[in-house]
Amino acid sequence: MIAAHVSRRYARALLELGESEGNLDALVADLAKVADLYTANGDLKIAVDNPIVALPVKQAILRELCDKLSLAKTAKSAVLLLGDRRRFPLLPEIVTMLREMADAKKGLVRAEVTTAVALSDGFYEKLVTTLENISKKRVVLDKKHDPALIGGVVLRIGDLVLDSSLKTRLDGLKHALLPN
């Protein structure tokens, strides 16, 4: 709860900063690169999160990371600030909130559709059109594939999840028929 509140405050501040500088999209993209790397790289996560590692060492690691990723000045400052304040583990959540806020400013909605196999472009276009008609906003669709679904579609829009996958239906049937 407190972490979400802190993340939201950082995201709001970064949103205002990105808007005032006119580089909001670039700022979101730069911070997303760092957040993705932090999430995927266990060594980086350990080095930055470990309280035994001295702050100057963490700062040096983060500076080198920013330089290798060729981050813009604002993104680099944000990364270093989060490191200095021991808030770096919040970066993935901050980026998620910042992206949502930036999308809302542009009148965008992000939707994620997961299917067992790749479907035709026509299906995705029709889905986007339907979602735009319902939401009255422009929809950006992220396509994912998960063979474990067996069939059907799982659609996520913000906190709303519409799951019509065969896997979910079979799981429900299993729980209904088998005793606990």
Side-chain angles (χ1 to χ4, degrees), residues 3-24:
H5 179 70
V6 171
S7 297
R8 190 172 296 107
R9 289 180 68 184
Y10 276 102
R12 206 173 295 128
L14 288 166
L15 177 76
E16 291 174 12
L17 189 60
E19 282 183 313
S20 69
E21 294 179 352
N23 64 354
L24 181 59

Side-chain angles (χ1 to χ4, degrees), residues 10 18 29 37 49 68 90 113 115 127 129 131 149 153 173:
Y10 276 102
L37 189 61
D49 293 350
K68 287 192 181 207
L90 298 176
V113 64
T115 58
L127 180 61
T129 303
L131 293 173
L149 293 180
V153 175
L173 186 60

Side-chain angles (χ1 to χ4, degrees), residues 63-133:
R63 273 195 192 87
E64 185 176 339
L65 175 68
C66 291
D67 292 340
K68 287 192 181 207
L69 292 175
S70 303
L71 298 185
K73 181 182 176 187
T74 306
K76 183 176 181 177
S77 297
V79 167
L80 295 175
L81 177 72
L82 290 170
D84 288 347
R85 301 252 171 104
R86 293 181 175 87
R87 301 283 194 199
F88 202 80
L90 298 176
L91 182 61
E93 187 176 0
I94 292 169
V95 169
T96 299
M97 289 180 178
L98 177 60
R99 183 176 286 133
E100 289 172 0
M101 291 174 185
D103 287 348
K105 286 273 187 188
K106 294 186 268 184
L108 275 176
V109 171
R110 289 194 185 271
E112 177 185 293
V113 64
T114 307
T115 58
V117 295
L119 299 176
S120 69
D121 288 338
F123 170 80
Y124 293 119
E125 290 169 9
K126 188 175 180 181
L127 180 61
V128 167
T129 303
T130 303
L131 293 173
E132 286 177 344
N133 289 337

